[in-house]
Amino acid sequence: MAAELKLSHTAALILQAVETGDGYGFSVMELTGLPSGTVYPAMRRLERDGLVVSQWEGQAIADAGQRPPRKYYQLTEAGQATLAASQRRYPLLTKLAAVETGE
């Protein structure tokens, strides 16, 4: 059912960034160029819709990096299927993924 979900270009771009990047909010903002006011509400909607899951990193890891803990996002199976459908709908996503990964 989730594969039938038609995402906006922005939401599809965020899914693409989660798939190809480090998977935390600031990384998604860097990869997409979108502001936090767009990224974080979209991430909450994507999580609510079952397309991504999130998990906070351990405090010890954050302390070692001398920064606050990061909340990491990962695509679910439904998210991967929806991303694939979005890549067919928005062919530019595939080209952007190649640029992001250096291919």
Side-chain angles (χ1 to χ4, degrees), residues 24-48:
Y24 61 95
F26 191 77
S27 173
V28 170
M29 290 177 352
E30 286 182 325
L31 286 172
T32 63
L34 295 169
S36 61
T38 300
V39 170
Y40 289 108
M43 296 291 261
R44 284 191 296 274
R45 286 190 300 274
L46 292 169
E47 189 165 20
R48 178 200 66 207

Side-chain angles (χ1 to χ4, degrees), residues 6-72:
K6 289 188 178 178
L7 298 179
S8 68
H9 187 265
T10 300
L13 187 61
I14 290 170
L15 279 184
Q16 180 72 47
V18 169
E19 178 71 11
T20 60
D22 289 328
Y24 61 95
F26 191 77
S27 173
V28 170
M29 290 177 352
E30 286 182 325
L31 286 172
T32 63
L34 295 169
S36 61
T38 300
V39 170
Y40 289 108
M43 296 291 261
R44 284 191 296 274
R45 286 190 300 274
L46 292 169
E47 189 165 20
R48 178 200 66 207
D49 293 343
L51 302 179
V52 297
V53 292
S54 66
Q55 181 175 351
W56 286 98
E57 74 179 343
Q59 187 64 49
I61 295 169
D63 290 346
Q66 297 181 337
R67 56 175 169 68
R70 293 175 176 162
K71 187 176 189 180
Y72 284 92

